[in-house]
Amino acid sequence: MKEVVFSGIQPSGSLTIGNYLGALKNFKPLQEEYQCIYCLVDLHALTVEQDPKFLRKNTLQLLALYLAAGLDPYKSIVFIQSHVPEHSELQWLLNTITPLGQLQRMTQYKSKSKLQEENIQAGLLNYPVLMASDILLYQTKYVPVGEDQRQHIELTRDLAMRFNSRYSDTFVMPEIMTPKVGAKVMSLQDPTSKMSKSDSDPNSYILILDDEKTILRKVKRAVTDSLNNFSYNEDQIGLRNLIDIYCAFEEINHSEIVSRYESLGYGKFKEDLAEIIIEGLKPIKNRYEEYIADRSELENIYRMGADKARKIAYKTLRKAYKKVGLIPR
Ligand code: AQP
């Protein structure tokens, strides 16, 4: 029996290179060694207001990107979260053992609730419990995600531990799996905050599907500093972020980049970086165009994925229901 890897991405917009380097890029190589389950977490996207038309479009776009990034729907299970109702059902059980205070301390809740300060929705607070349910339903061992999800994985572990110790062993204890570089790509306009697909400033992020000119323009506009000192350090966080992006695309060490560009300067570095991003994304973009054009194939894939996912999810849910004293259906 292979160990299980589970991860998901929200169709809350078009994917950034942050989503790519922190998560998507790392999905494909795991398929050989593990039973991989990759979800399109559409219910999570509802924690902020979505235009229904765009949500549908973004969900199919995300599926096409998963496939373009090399996910094989016959090796991995690829499905849409809302097609497997067990996710919401297990969430309810987990809600009953989740302390409110722990949810209120979540960094992502604190930052996103600022954007809806007048009218904070309960779904935003509860989102990490749904994420715990996503992970625990599949007896997941590893969760490949970006660094911003660490706190949510910790909560998932706490809930698994609480449930297991109250009702006996039910869930596998999951572990976070983050990439060595690219685990936290920062905004190009404000390198103190992370790059996000829902940022209101499009210059703060690069999308996987951005065209070449746009990528070059965004990289050139990226905030650096006026020190004119090409080095990798804590005081030059804008430059450091760009070097990290370079390292993640090229899979080389930052000291190699510093020695390559210390005499060439910021301008040449930015030009080359844009080129590296463009080249790195090109194969995915090309394959994406093929997948997105075949709507019926996308439908076959997500239906097949949901059928497989439901079989596993139902088994776990049934076990959890029995343990807490619910009469099996
Ligand atoms: N800036 C980032 N650097 C590295 N990894 C990142 N991830 C997100 N941003 C970065 C990783 O991408 C995966 C999918 O994330 P998500 O869509 O489920 O939610 P998110 O973390 O909230 O991503 P965004 O882009 O910030 O979306 P919005 O703006 O909708 O909230 C996760 O593995 C995440 O760690």
Side-chain angles (χ1 to χ4, degrees):
M1 283 277 281
K2 286 182 173 177
E3 286 177 314
V4 175
V5 160
F6 177 95
S7 195
I9 299 183
Q10 303 181 56
S12 47
S14 200
L15 296 200
T16 69
I17 55 166
N19 303 128
Y20 175 64
L21 296 175
L24 187 58
K25 180 172 184 264
N26 314 306
F27 289 177
K28 181 185 168 194
L30 296 168
Q31 295 181 117
E32 302 308 324
E33 201 180 333
Y34 300 99
Q35 168 60 68
C36 293
I37 305 181
Y38 295 123
C39 186
L40 297 100
V41 286
D42 54 349
L43 296 174
H44 287 295
L46 296 175
T47 52
V48 296
E49 204 175 326
Q50 300 287 336
D51 179 328
K53 245 190 352 270
F54 284 118
L55 183 57
R56 273 190 289 272
K57 183 171 157 255
N58 286 335
T59 306
L60 291 178
Q61 192 188 78
L62 180 58
L63 177 57
L65 273 178
Y66 272 14
L67 301 169
L71 300 199
D72 178 342
Y74 296 94
K75 259 188 210 154
S76 298
I77 299 176
V78 181
F79 73 102
I80 298 175
Q81 185 186 30
S82 61
H83 294 183
V84 181
E86 285 79 1
H87 288 244
S88 309
E89 293 184 74
L90 181 62
Q91 184 198 11
W92 179 251
L93 283 198
L94 297 178
N95 266 331
T96 64
I97 58 163
T98 305
L100 189 58
Q102 199 171 358
L103 294 180
Q104 286 164 332
R105 285 194 297 276
M106 293 287 148
T107 318
Q108 209 177 77
Y109 169 69
K110 286 196 218 158
S111 64
K112 286 199 174 172
S113 58
K114 282 199 191 110
L115 304 173
Q116 39 180 262
E117 216 149 29
E118 299 296 303
N119 188 16
I120 300 171
Q121 308 295 321
L124 189 63
L125 182 74
N126 272 70
Y127 144 85
V129 187
L130 181 57
M131 178 165 160
S133 162
D134 301 338
I135 296 167
L136 298 180
L137 269 180
Y138 299 96
Q139 307 294 5
T140 303
K141 183 66 189 162
Y142 298 108
V143 189
V145 281
E147 192 53 45
D148 62 321
Q149 296 297 333
R150 184 173 292 278
Q151 213 181 10
H152 296 158
I153 307 295
E154 283 306 319
L155 173 78
T156 305
R157 290 171 58 84
D158 287 350
L159 295 181
M161 210 162 345
R162 198 165 300 139
F163 195 100
N164 286 351
S165 66
R166 195 177 290 179
Y167 301 107
S168 82
D169 257 7
T170 309
F171 301 118
V172 167
M173 195 61 67
E175 287 171 30
I176 191 170
M177 191 188 244
T178 52
K180 284 200 188 73
V181 269
K184 194 167 187 187
V185 178
M186 308 309 280
S187 156
L188 300 183
Q189 292 302 312
D190 171 14
T192 61
S193 57
K194 77 161 189 135
M195 183 180 283
S196 259
K197 57 175 124 57
S198 57
D199 197 311
S200 56
D201 178 2
N203 286 320
S204 70
Y205 52 70
I206 292 173
L207 300 177
I208 298 180
L209 298 176
D210 271 343
D211 61 43
E212 299 186 4
K213 267 196 192 149
T214 308
I215 293 177
L216 181 62
R217 180 172 48 76
K218 288 182 177 177
V219 173
K220 280 192 170 166
R221 281 199 192 170
V223 168
T224 46
D225 53 70
S226 49
L227 298 174
N228 222 359
N229 164 40
F230 199 94
S231 77
Y232 186 87
N233 67 62
E234 308 251 315
D235 301 323
Q236 294 175 272
I237 52 174
L239 180 61
R240 191 179 59 177
N241 184 40
L242 298 182
I243 295 175
D244 281 338
I245 295 172
Y246 197 126
C247 290
F249 271 96
E250 282 292 87
E251 295 179 0
I252 53 174
N253 195 289
H254 60 76
S255 55
E256 275 181 64
I257 298 180
V258 172
S259 60
R260 200 181 292 172
Y261 288 97
E262 58 198 345
S263 60
L264 298 171
Y266 295 7
K268 174 69 178 145
F269 167 71
K270 280 183 165 180
E271 268 171 34
D272 289 356
L273 173 62
E275 197 51 38
I276 274 158
I277 298 173
I278 290 166
E279 286 307 311
L281 297 177
K282 204 177 263 172
I284 300 177
K285 271 162 128 164
N286 293 342
R287 284 195 295 269
Y288 168 81
E289 294 305 333
E290 287 169 33
Y291 286 114
I292 199 67
D294 193 348
R295 175 75 185 255
S296 73
E297 179 60 6
L298 292 177
E299 279 177 19
N300 290 340
I301 289 171
Y302 67 63
R303 291 220 172 92
M304 174 177 77
D307 285 347
K308 290 189 202 162
R310 275 205 85 171
K311 290 201 180 90
I312 307 171
Y314 177 70
K315 244 168 98 181
T316 309
L317 183 73
R318 191 182 147 85
K319 196 159 135 191
Y321 270 3
K322 265 171 95 175
K323 295 260 177 110
V324 302
L326 302 180
I327 294 175
R329 302 172 210 175

